[in-house]
């Protein structure tokens, strides 16, 4: 069964001086302020499209890696993933770097790196972001 998740943003003002609020409609987890300075300068308590992409990518990647490891008979005890999305004003998103540290009993570093590379290539968010360079650092705890 297909699912659709929704969010909406209300924006007021011009790009550089305006501000907005993004609301997470599907989950109901609330709303977060967003602004150009939070995107191109300092966050100052506001989010950005890039931070939202980072959240989506780190969680999707973790799920894909967990599934791959479990399917291989080596379920993880814990995966800690971060996603760093780089935004260059005037250019756009120039890259995403995933970093994962895993606790996977019975798995060696080479097999973990291979599983992580597979998850990077095949998680739905990575596939949606194929126009962006995605790099990965993977290590066992």
């Amino acid at each position: 069964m297909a699912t659709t998740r929704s969010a909406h943003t209300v924006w007021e003002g011009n790009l550089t001086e305006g501000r907005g609020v993004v609301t997470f409609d599907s989950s109901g987890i609330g709303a977060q302020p967003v602004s150009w300075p939070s995107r191109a300068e300092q966050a100052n308590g506001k989010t950005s499209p890039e931070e939202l992409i980072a959240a989506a990518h780190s969680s999707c990647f973790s799920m894909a890696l967990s599934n791959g490891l479990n399917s291989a008979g080596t379920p993880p005890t814990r995966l800690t993933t971060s996603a760093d999305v780089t935004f260059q004003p005037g250019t756009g998103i120039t890259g995403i770097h995933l970093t994962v540290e895993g606790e996977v009993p019975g798995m060696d570093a080479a097999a973990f790196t291979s599983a992580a590379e597979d998850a990077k290539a095949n998680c739905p968010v990575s596939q949606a972001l194929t126009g962006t360079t995605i790099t990965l650092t993977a290590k066992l705890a």
Side-chain angles (χ1 to χ4, degrees), residues 2 19 57 60 62-63 66 76 84 88 107 120 132 136:
R19 63 185 176 279
H57 206 175
C60 183
S62 294
M63 289 180 203
S66 175
D84 299 308
Q88 178 64 46
M107 179 166 268
K120 179 188 82 154
T132 301
L136 172 69

Side-chain angles (χ1 to χ4, degrees), residues 36 86-94:
W36 176 256
T86 302
F87 174 73
Q88 178 64 46
T91 302
I93 294 172
T94 58

Side-chain angles (χ1 to χ4, degrees), residues 7-74:
H8 76 274
T9 299
V10 175
W11 186 266
E12 297 174 345
N14 67 30
L15 174 63
T16 58
E17 297 168 6
R19 63 185 176 279
V21 175
V22 60
T23 301
F24 301 94
D25 299 322
S26 300
S27 64
I29 60 173
Q32 294 296 315
V34 61
S35 69
W36 176 256
S38 69
R39 186 176 197 184
E41 299 166 18
Q42 295 297 316
N44 293 323
K46 298 180 175 113
T47 194
S48 68
E50 290 72 28
E51 184 177 39
L52 297 171
I53 289 170
H57 206 175
S58 66
S59 60
C60 183
F61 171 86
S62 294
M63 289 180 203
L65 180 54
S66 175
N67 185 54
L69 292 168
N70 189 62
S71 295
T74 52

Side-chain angles (χ1 to χ4, degrees), residues 58 61-62 65-66 69 76 78-83 97-104 112-113 115-117 119-120 135-141:
S58 66
F61 171 86
S62 294
L65 180 54
S66 175
L69 292 168
R78 178 186 205 112
L79 299 171
T80 303
T81 305
S82 63
H97 185 74
L98 298 168
T99 303
V100 62
E101 182 176 274
E103 295 174 22
V104 189
F112 182 71
T113 298
E117 287 288 349
K120 179 188 82 154
T135 56
L136 172 69
T137 300
K139 68 177 185 175
L140 291 171

